[in-house]
Amino acid sequence: MKIKLDKDYMVNELGLPESSLLEEITDTSRWSIHYRIVFSYQGRFFETFYSKGATENQYESPWEFEDQVDCYEVELKEVKVRKWVRKETE
């Protein structure tokens, strides 16, 4: 399920992105750091994305160029992941 929330409501009323349950960096560029957050809203959980300036000279605030923000409902699931790890020696 996708909902749209007003940027000002998210920042001022929900306290996002600071009050998010999860915040992770998804990518970086020369001028910005891109984030994914998960937050609670009306008893359900949603994810959305934002970016902010990568340096103290690069001002960019979350959702600076958006009035309405797309948020997607998510659920917490256990996910099995395979990865390469060092082999233990005897």
Side-chain angles (χ1 to χ4, degrees), residues 32-50:
S32 300
I33 302 172
H34 306 280
Y35 294 88
R36 170 185 177 248
I37 62 169
V38 174
F39 63 97
S40 176
Y41 176 70
Q42 294 185 343
R44 297 184 301 190
F45 301 97
F46 293 87
E47 75 172 355
T48 193
F49 302 87
Y50 73 92

Side-chain angles (χ1 to χ4, degrees), residues 5-78:
L5 293 177
D6 183 75
K7 170 189 71 171
D8 292 332
Y9 176 78
M10 292 175 68
V11 172
N12 298 324
E13 300 298 321
L14 299 180
L16 295 172
E18 290 81 10
S19 68
S20 62
L21 302 171
L22 170 76
E23 179 180 59
E24 61 186 4
I25 295 173
T26 59
D27 199 8
T28 59
S29 65
R30 182 174 182 177
W31 304 114
S32 300
I33 302 172
H34 306 280
Y35 294 88
R36 170 185 177 248
I37 62 169
V38 174
F39 63 97
S40 176
Y41 176 70
Q42 294 185 343
R44 297 184 301 190
F45 301 97
F46 293 87
E47 75 172 355
T48 193
F49 302 87
Y50 73 92
S51 59
K52 64 181 181 182
T55 71
E56 64 276 358
N57 295 324
Q58 185 62 36
Y59 180 78
E60 179 184 1
S61 61
W63 310 293
E64 183 172 347
F65 305 107
E66 299 176 70
D67 291 328
Q68 296 286 309
V69 180
D70 290 335
C71 304
Y72 301 88
E73 190 170 13
V74 294
E75 64 183 350
L76 187 60
K77 274 190 170 180
E78 185 175 328

